[in-house]
Amino acid sequence: MSKRARSACVSVLSLAAVAAVAAGCSNSDAETADAPATEATGSLAATTSDPCALIGPEELAIFSSKPEAEPMAGSDKISTSCAWDGDGATVVTVTLQNSKTEASKFKPETKIDLGGIAAYADASVADFCTVYVPAPDEDKTLIFLATPDAPTAEANPATEDETWCDRAEPAISKAVAELGWA
């Protein structure tokens, strides 16, 4: 396995570890992914809690040669997810975790400011991006995983000055706005 592939696996395993920690910290067995959206405390109200509605074809086109692809939804006790396939592989996964993961649990390469909302990005693998966004006023965490499909990466390769996480920022900003967090 190449160093790059191992690094991508480590990033995915890091996500699994964060989810496992969050599951262990859940304070209620009654929490489910199918629970209706509720208003956040404070002035921010969720527009949607459906991860499939958080990004659209325009944002998906950053990573996929097939931006009109139908998303695949999934859920478990601690999260709801939506994944989009590109050319032969999953290119974007958006997960809304039903617990807040504190920033100290992340090993980010970069802290991103999304209009006053802190996000934590790991772009340590050249063609893979992981971004965690803890909700400001709710016990939720948005997790955004993305890797471009081959046609997209070949047509518009990332440069040394710009990572795929940099390119993902508009999609993440849209998701945060759809959640009512910004």
Side-chain angles (χ1 to χ4, degrees):
M1 182 182 291
S2 72
K3 181 178 179 183
R4 194 165 107 184
R6 278 193 306 274
S7 295
C9 289
V10 168
S11 292
V12 171
L13 291 173
S14 295
L15 171 63
V18 168
V21 167
C25 295
S26 177
N27 59 5
S28 170
D29 287 340
E31 292 177 311
T32 67
D34 298 326
T38 59
E39 270 194 37
T41 57
S43 62
L44 301 176
T47 304
T48 183
S49 62
D50 175 7
C52 295
L54 296 178
I55 65 170
E58 184 177 330
E59 294 79 26
L60 189 57
I62 297 166
F63 300 97
S64 179
S65 59
K66 299 178 180 184
E68 299 295 329
E70 288 295 318
M72 296 168 287
S75 65
D76 59 27
K77 188 173 180 174
I78 65 165
S79 64
T80 56
S81 301
C82 200
W84 290 264
D85 282 345
D87 186 40
T90 300
V91 293
V92 174
T93 302
V94 176
T95 300
L96 191 57
Q97 185 175 285
N98 296 323
S99 61
K100 190 171 197 164
T101 303
E102 296 302 322
S104 64
K105 300 291 184 198
F106 305 129
K107 293 185 178 179
E109 293 290 315
T110 306
K111 184 175 178 182
I112 303 170
D113 182 4
L114 302 171
I117 304 298
Y120 302 89
D122 181 353
S124 59
V125 179
D127 62 352
F128 193 80
C129 174
T130 304
V131 178
Y132 303 92
V133 186
D137 296 324
E138 295 180 76
D139 286 336
K140 294 193 181 289
T141 302
L142 173 70
I143 305 166
F144 185 91
L145 303 171
T147 189
D149 61 16
T152 303
E154 290 169 11
N156 194 12
T159 66
E160 287 185 26
D161 297 332
E162 179 184 49
T163 68
W164 286 101
C165 284
D166 293 329
R167 292 184 183 179
E169 197 168 325
I172 299 163
S173 292
K174 180 181 188 283
V176 166
E178 289 292 325
L179 287 166
W181 295 355

